[in-house]
Amino acid sequence: MRMGPAELVQAAAMARRFYLEGKSKIQIAEEFGVSRFKVARVLETALERDLVRIEIRVPAELDAERSDALRARYGLRHAVVVESPAEEQDDAADPENLGEVAADLLGELVNEGDVLGLAWGRSTIHMAAALDRLPPCTVVQLTGVYDAGTAERGSVEAVRRAAQVSGGEAHPIYAPMLLPDPATAAALRHQTGIARAFEYFDKVTVAAVSIGSWEPGISTVHDMLSDEERAHYASLGVAAEMSAHLFDSAGRRVGRDLGERCITVEADRLRRIPEVVAIAGGQRKAAAIGAVLRSGLVTSLVTDTAAADYLLTESAAGQRPALERADPDD
């Protein structure tokens, strides 16, 4: 039915109160002397008759549709998908813009008094470099470094940078991630500085981690091992690596003996952290990201459209690992 001028004026006024001034339907009903159900019908009609147009606009680099689909498919708390680079190189690691978006996400997720944990990874290092806001919080390193000689350019510096932005304490780990044997790793864990960082692991409320697929240049741990060791873990079906933990395609942990030689947060402790944000993208990492999502260790993901398209075509019926936080081995 055609709306008369009085109806049009009233609909426009109600719409202005509701959409622009933020008034409730009850408040509008009281002002105009009608029922709130009448207000609801008028607002619905205003949309149908094009008196009101609602636009959902996000920055061009964010893909809202894929983000929501990925969140729902894997039961993620947060999923943020960014546009892949126009010309992605075959040997490229994570797109650098993932770190920038992840930095903004951390600015939303971290609250004053939280303990923020950062694991080694190129994406987490890019994220830390892009941080420009964080509420006061303590920052702790969750893994050793890829190479102790590059600590100033790696995860130690990332922890310092995050603490500087937040104005909180920093607890870095000055030790390699991978040691020659379990005895050396155990001895290092008892050193004062490292032990102090480990004491904070149970207090971490938000963590940022990276994901690697089991191939050269895409997994730090893969690159640190000998050819014989790589072949051994490959024979166990390893498909992904995160913070020196290895996973098969179903998200089950394999090669647990490797963890005995590593300076890293234990998987059980990771599972107890309320918010674990994984930052990883690219076609070469897509399958590995899927494996880690099935592990139940992460709650949120920052990725790109190339990886998201793969993840959205994977069979994930009935799976909501991020919400359930269940261990596939149980």
Side-chain angles (χ1 to χ4, degrees):
M1 294 179 61
R2 181 179 176 181
M3 297 178 71
E7 291 177 304
L8 286 169
V9 169
Q10 185 184 68
M14 288 184 177
R16 183 179 301 278
R17 304 290 193 281
F18 186 74
Y19 292 108
L20 298 183
E21 298 176 14
K23 291 188 175 181
S24 70
K25 292 174 184 176
I26 293 176
Q27 290 174 314
I28 297 170
E30 291 175 350
E31 178 182 348
F32 286 87
V34 299
S35 72
R36 62 186 176 88
F37 302 105
K38 166 75 171 178
V39 173
R41 288 196 298 273
V42 170
L43 293 175
E44 184 177 344
T45 301
L47 283 171
E48 292 173 352
R49 301 299 175 85
D50 212 25
L51 288 177
V52 175
R53 296 181 183 180
I54 299 175
E55 287 188 77
I56 300 174
R57 303 179 66 182
V58 296
E61 70 270 15
L62 298 183
D63 192 309
E65 186 175 350
R66 283 185 176 92
S67 298
D68 189 55
L70 199 60
R71 178 200 56 77
R73 190 176 186 88
Y74 287 91
L76 293 160
R77 229 175 250 131
H78 305 280
V80 182
V81 178
V82 305
E83 288 291 337
S84 300
E87 297 181 2
E88 183 179 356
Q89 300 177 0
D90 291 339
D91 60 348
D94 301 308
E96 290 194 20
N97 60 342
L98 293 187
E100 297 171 3
V101 173
D104 287 340
L105 179 61
L106 277 194
E108 293 183 69
L109 298 181
V110 176
N111 296 306
E112 184 173 351
D114 276 348
V115 177
L116 171 63
L118 299 182
W120 158 265
R122 297 180 184 90
S123 56
T124 51
I125 290 170
H126 289 150
M127 178 205 69
L131 283 171
D132 58 9
R133 63 185 176 97
L134 271 181
C137 64
T138 299
V139 187
V140 61
Q141 193 170 322
L142 296 179
T143 64
V145 298
Y146 173 53
D147 180 350
T150 62
E152 291 301 317
R153 302 188 301 276
S155 46
V156 169
E157 180 56 30
V159 169
R160 287 176 175 165
R161 167 66 182 167
Q164 180 184 31
V165 172
S166 74
E169 294 181 3
H171 294 275
I173 293 177
Y174 296 96
M177 182 189 296
L178 180 66
L179 282 303
D181 53 71
T184 304
L188 277 178
R189 292 189 198 106
H190 286 92
Q191 287 191 357
T192 303
I194 297 173
R196 187 177 298 115
F198 268 63
E199 288 173 358
Y200 275 92
F201 286 180
D202 287 329
K203 303 174 185 177
V204 174
T205 50
V206 181
V209 300
S210 296
I211 296 173
S213 55
W214 199 244
E215 55 181 308
I218 308 297
S219 165
T220 300
V221 173
H222 178 282
D223 292 345
M224 288 192 286
L225 296 173
S226 67
D227 290 340
E228 182 179 354
E229 289 170 323
R230 292 169 190 156
H232 165 67
Y233 291 117
S235 72
L236 300 179
V238 59
E241 174 261 319
M242 180 182 70
S243 301
H245 300 295
L246 309 182
F247 306 88
D248 66 12
S249 59
R252 294 184 295 261
R253 289 181 59 210
V254 297
R256 299 190 182 209
D257 61 303
L258 182 65
E260 298 175 5
R261 297 169 49 195
C262 293
I263 303 296
T264 185
V265 61
E266 299 94 327
D268 290 342
R269 278 176 157 170
L270 264 178
R271 200 180 303 279
R272 292 195 296 268
I273 296 174
E275 184 74 79
V276 179
V277 181
I279 312 162
Q283 293 181 1
R284 289 180 67 183
K285 283 193 177 183
I289 296 169
V292 172
L293 290 181
R294 283 186 283 275
S295 75
L297 289 175
V298 303
T299 60
S300 299
L301 175 68
V302 178
T303 190
D304 68 345
T305 52
D309 285 343
Y310 174 89
L311 294 168
L312 289 171
T313 59
E314 273 197 320
S315 176
Q319 296 182 11
R320 295 175 68 78
L323 288 181
E324 297 163 2
R325 305 301 297 273
D327 188 337
D329 289 328
D330 291 343

